[in-house]
Amino acid sequence: MLKNMSGIIAIITIIFFGSSYASAEQSPGDQEVYSFLKDAFQSQLSLGEKHHSLEEIDQILDPYFTKEYQQSFQKEHLFKEEAGYITYGTDFPTYYIPFFSYDEETKVVKGKDGEIIVYEFFASDEDMPSLYDDHYEYVKLQETSTGWIVKDYGFEYEMPDFVKSNENEREVSIVNTFSKTDVSLNRIYPFGMFAYPFFHSLPVTIPMMASHLLQDFNQKSFLVTR
């Protein structure tokens, strides 16, 4: 019974380490950035709801975008009409905040001097007509004394260099995390005995092993009570 309980504890420990690493990929700081980007996107969309003066547009976009970014966005999407300026729907949303999913598919890369890059890989849907093949979209943000501000936009079919670097760092971090976990578990005999095989097939092995251990434990407990 002691061996079974040790195995169960080992499995729980592995799950804990894995879930801790996954949650660390999206920190509370990332959620703040996501919230900011959602608000920035809504500010852009609001320009298509009614006509505005240029002064009003500045007031709407200033909290979220640099002047240079605003000029690029307006050049692409702003139209002058008798009632004022307005934007229209478009199939080429350059300089709009990308349609991030804001989940594990959306990545945040921290750069130097308070810069961060938020990016996502967008796969083309074979079942739906699309103007784009598989591609990456991203925005660069700069931290200022008053908060974040969007300063650049990118669209690339090839994997950007900063994405390659980030993916490599994540792979190294995962290997290091589980290597440390493996060493810690093997210092205790029952843990090491159960832990190692699961690192290569966690999604399938853990539920199966837990089920068998719990079933065995319940059967032995029943025999003891008899």
Side-chain angles (χ1 to χ4, degrees), residues 22 27 34 48 58 88 95 97 116 137 149 168 191 213 220:
S27 66
Y34 294 165
D58 287 341
Y88 300 127
Y95 293 107
I97 299 298
I116 62 172
E137 290 186 55
I149 192 165
N168 290 337
F191 281 12
L213 288 172
K220 291 186 177 181

Side-chain angles (χ1 to χ4, degrees), residues 27-189:
S27 66
D30 293 346
Q31 297 301 324
E32 292 178 7
V33 172
Y34 294 165
S35 179
F36 170 82
L37 289 176
K38 291 176 183 178
D39 291 342
F41 183 52
Q42 289 301 318
S43 74
Q44 293 176 312
L45 294 181
S46 70
L47 300 182
E49 296 174 355
K50 65 178 183 178
H51 293 87
H52 296 85
S53 66
L54 290 178
E55 291 76 14
E56 290 173 334
I57 293 174
D58 287 341
Q59 293 176 0
I60 293 172
L61 299 180
D62 273 346
Y64 306 104
F65 306 94
T66 62
K67 287 297 184 183
E68 293 79 9
Y69 196 103
Q70 292 182 48
Q71 291 171 1
S72 299
F73 172 79
Q74 292 176 23
K75 184 178 179 180
E76 289 286 337
H77 302 291
L78 199 63
F79 294 89
K80 182 179 180 181
E81 297 181 347
E82 185 176 351
Y85 293 86
I86 195 169
T87 60
Y88 300 127
T90 177
D91 292 328
F92 303 95
T94 308
Y95 293 107
Y96 274 96
I97 299 298
F99 292 96
F100 293 133
S101 57
Y102 299 108
D103 55 18
E104 65 276 1
E105 298 300 325
T106 308
K107 308 294 194 305
V108 178
V109 178
K110 293 177 174 59
K112 298 180 180 179
D113 301 322
E115 179 187 87
I116 62 172
I117 305 173
V118 182
Y119 73 92
E120 186 167 337
F121 173 74
F122 293 89
S124 60
D125 191 342
E126 297 180 356
D127 298 327
M128 296 288 291
S130 175
L131 297 173
Y132 306 107
D133 294 328
D134 295 354
H135 66 278
Y136 292 84
E137 290 186 55
Y138 60 88
V139 288
K140 295 183 178 181
L141 293 81
Q142 183 67 46
E143 189 173 17
T144 69
S145 58
T146 58
W148 296 108
I149 192 165
V150 181
K151 68 175 187 178
D152 198 10
Y153 166 88
F155 179 108
E156 296 185 29
Y157 286 109
E158 299 296 329
M159 180 182 290
D161 289 338
F162 68 84
V163 175
K164 295 178 183 178
S165 177
N166 184 55
E167 294 298 323
N168 290 337
E169 290 177 1
R170 290 177 65 245
E171 290 176 2
V172 171
S173 180
I174 292 174
V175 171
N176 290 339
T177 298
F178 284 113
S179 295
K180 292 177 181 178
T181 304
D182 193 16
V183 171
S184 298
L185 290 174
N186 276 285
R187 288 176 179 173
I188 304 175
Y189 173 73

